[in-house]
Amino acid sequence: MHWTPFTEITAVLAVAALLGAIGLKLRQPLIISFLFAGILVGPSALGLIEGPEQIELLAGIGISLLLFVVGLRLDVGMIRTVGPVALATGLGQVLFTSLIGLGIARAFGLAWVPALYVAVALTFSSTIIIVKLLSDKKEIDSLHGRIAVGFLIVQDIVAILALIGLTAFGGGASSDEPFVLKALWIVAKGLLFLAAVVVLMRWVLPRALPYIARSPELLVLFAITWAVLLATAAEWLGFSKEVGAFLAGVSLASTDQRDAIGARLVVLRDFLLLFFFIDLGARLNLAGLGAEVGRAAVFSAFVLVGNPLIVMTIMGVMGYRRRTGFMSGLAVAQISEFSLILAALGVSLGHIGADSMNLITLVGLVTIFASTYMILYSGPLYGRLSGLLRVFERRNAYREAAAGAEPVAAEHLILVMGLGHYGSEIATRLQRHGWSVLAVDFDPAALARGRRLGLPVLYGDIADPEMLAQLPLDHAHWVVCAVRDRALNFTLLSLLREAGFAGRVAVAVGSPADAEPCRARGAHLVLQPFRDAAELAVEVLTGAMQALPGLVDWPAKLEEVVLQPGSVLAGKALRELSIRGELGVSVLAVSRAGRVQFNPGPDVQLYPGDRLVLLGEPEALRQAAESLRQRELGRPPEQASAFAVGEVAVESTSPWAGASLAELDFRNRHGARIIGIRRGGQALPSPRASDRLEPGDRLVVGGSPQAIDRLTHTPASPTDGRPGPTRG
């Protein structure tokens, strides 16, 4: 059979799909499956790839789109925030890793030049793999995700300079061109390239994009072209395509179209990245690796453990918490495709032999596989190591404390976890109701949005066991998790239970199947945003406004007004409102719970949630709508402390002993009701009026806080005994 490029791609996709399905069945990461697919179709196994140029082309476009989408998320303000730590961590990790790696290589007896190659190869981590994993875990926007992306970009730039330097050192540069001059020329080209991007970002793109965005198809085509164009320009100037694509994304990060572009490119990005992992696997020549197993094991252990420790040390000194340092440090727990390119360059220049190339290849294979699992299971891994990692955190982690919460009133406090669209709406509406709110999120952009809404915010990760120590749980009435993630909900409920949180917990779920497991783990309230929104949509669709025909060529208009909870009109009849006499509008219909009542009479009583269809002139309608939307919300103390529960003991000398619940008449005499009875280790949750109390019973009573306080602190007096006949 003659292998055309089309049949070759078909075979590669078939193998990738098959191994991906097997990996999914075994609950393995797709990245691992795709790497195995690359090894299988590569020269070490089936040899299906005869022309690697097609795979490399698709892989290059996928890499460009991946870094472009990452750049879209990083506006200039965020670069200023994480820039210093990214630069310090990136350069510091490269320096310390190369020095320690050089020492290990020399201890194994490697000559200076091969030892230097191995040491430098250990310093570079795969931006593409890490960004893909963080994106899949939805951690790319977290603080540790942004820091990791920042220092990985720094690493890429150092890798490019290292490749240039080694080329010059090996005689690749002409003899009349000193290395220093070549390096300065590279720096100058980089600054000119950056300046050109800034000019386009400042004056050209903001004017061109609104016109291009008129057509969604053209907007997607422009975004892909822009990403690939700057990637090509960067590569032509001597840099990597990753740096150019990243800058292309950053240049559009401040535009109004960035979200639309990012959403439309995700599927294409993930498809093309498949070819990157296949290409990476196909490049791994497994022949001759067996002789390097011993040395590769030591170097792999250093990369998997030593590199994260170096990053954690640097970030700890800079004032970051150990969890942020640990999560960021996992990003350097593998070597990258740049390491393999560096080794191949060394072989071509005659600096190293096949044994060093095999050593670097085997370390890359081991660390990529192992670090993938470390990152995917970073939460449980940190939970086990948290105590040991305290040494990497300063007593005052001021970097994250600076991003902490603004002062918030301790009274009537509700903690809202997650500042997405749903969480932000919950937090702002709670504030309008008079509650004190503290919003928690790990996305710096979400925190900035919360501040713009006037919310006190705190940086924190729901999955972080140490986050609770930063929260004023002792004062909180509610903890509300607005993130619709089953695992995060379970983790939060478990952490709150371990912390002894005495308040109530509400969690949001994306699927009805998650509701009952959350309740079983202690959630007092389960919010289902999609179900609730669908219910509201049905209410609107079947309401009176949609049932009425429009008024054609008539000066009067129709408008629908919803009576909100707390409406000053709730409980009143239409005749009490005098809407027609005072406001000059008529109530044509009232919609309630999907039932429509047309031409309602004056005795119809209004309730919160009612939808009133008004008829009148536009100005009168506007005034009437404003009047009907007025609310008188209860204050938090009224909402939070209107009901209390306590226990009252029935002593043997108590006049209550032997009396029936009907005779005691708790509701009228004490302003409380008996919810249940504890008797001899048994609970009677629904006592009847005829049940009689026995000495030793403990009454579970509910009512106003004042009534419960009187009952629990004042013993029963003789006058509280059996009453005489009750008057009608």
Side-chain angles (χ1 to χ4, degrees), residues 93 128 194 199 257 261 278 281 290 301 328 340 430 504 529-530 544 551 564 622 625 654 669 677 679 685 688 699 726:
Q93 182 266 324
I128 294 93
L194 188 60
V199 169
Q257 292 77 25
I261 293 173
I278 290 176
S328 301
L340 303 180
L430 283 170
R504 298 169 71 81
F530 295 118
L551 300 176
Q564 300 293 330
R622 186 188 64 78
S654 171
R669 290 176 176 273
I677 302 173
R679 177 177 295 166
R688 294 169 295 182
L699 309 181
T726 304

Side-chain angles (χ1 to χ4, degrees), residues 2 30 52 230 252 254 312 326 476:
H2 175 64
L30 282 179
L230 262 64
L252 301 182
S254 300
M312 289 185 65
F326 177 79

Side-chain angles (χ1 to χ4, degrees), residues 178-203:
F179 171 70
V180 174
L181 291 180
K182 186 173 183 180
L184 289 175
W185 174 231
I186 289 292
V187 172
K189 288 193 293 184
L191 292 176
L192 288 173
F193 182 48
L194 188 60
V197 172
V198 170
V199 169
L200 293 170
M201 175 180 170
R202 184 75 179 272
W203 287 286

Side-chain angles (χ1 to χ4, degrees), residues 387-399:
L388 299 175
L389 300 177
R390 292 184 185 277
V391 66
F392 296 100
E393 181 176 298
R394 297 174 62 167
R395 181 171 298 178
N396 176 25
Y398 65 91
R399 292 278 182 178

Side-chain angles (χ1 to χ4, degrees), residues 3 14 73 78 153 192 209 221 247 252 264 272 372 394 399 403 476 484 524 572 591 622 665 696:
W3 285 91
R73 298 176 180 270
M78 188 53 60
I153 293 295
L192 288 173
L209 274 178
L221 176 60
L247 286 177
L252 301 182
R264 288 184 170 91
L272 292 175
T372 298
R394 297 174 62 167
R399 292 278 182 178
R484 298 181 298 276
H524 298 86
K572 295 184 178 180
S591 175
R622 186 188 64 78
D665 194 14

Side-chain angles (χ1 to χ4, degrees), residues 168-355:
F169 177 73
S174 57
S175 57
D176 58 344
E177 187 179 9
F179 171 70
V180 174
L181 291 180
K182 186 173 183 180
L184 289 175
W185 174 231
I186 289 292
V187 172
K189 288 193 293 184
L191 292 176
L192 288 173
F193 182 48
L194 188 60
V197 172
V198 170
V199 169
L200 293 170
M201 175 180 170
R202 184 75 179 272
W203 287 286
V204 178
L205 293 175
R207 291 179 172 84
L209 274 178
Y211 174 77
I212 295 173
R214 295 178 182 177
S215 168
E217 294 84 356
L218 183 59
L219 183 64
V220 172
L221 176 60
F222 168 78
I224 297 173
T225 304
W226 183 243
V228 175
L229 179 64
L230 262 64
T232 304
E235 198 169 37
W236 180 70
L237 290 171
F239 302 101
S240 73
K241 64 175 73 73
E242 289 88 347
V243 173
F246 178 77
L247 286 177
V250 172
S251 68
L252 301 182
S254 300
T255 65
D256 296 333
Q257 292 77 25
R258 75 166 189 172
D259 292 331
I261 293 173
R264 288 184 170 91
L265 290 182
V266 168
V267 175
L268 179 61
R269 176 204 68 185
D270 289 344
F271 172 71
L272 292 175
L273 270 180
L274 159 70
F275 294 98
F276 164 76
F277 295 112
I278 290 176
D279 182 50
L280 183 60
R283 288 174 182 271
L284 298 176
N285 189 350
L286 304 185
L289 298 185
E292 301 296 335
V293 170
R295 293 191 295 185
V298 175
F299 282 115
S300 298
F302 169 62
V303 172
L304 291 168
V305 178
N307 274 357
L309 291 180
I310 291 171
V311 169
M312 289 185 65
T313 302
I314 296 172
M315 292 186 64
V317 171
M318 295 187 70
Y320 286 90
R321 293 170 55 220
R322 64 183 183 274
R323 186 178 188 277
T324 305
F326 177 79
M327 296 297 183
S328 301
L330 292 181
V332 294
Q334 89 288 117
I335 66 175
S336 78
E337 63 281 359
F338 270 125
S339 304
L340 303 180
I341 294 171
L342 178 78
L345 176 62
V347 171
S348 66
L349 294 174
H351 293 167
I352 60 175
D355 55 343

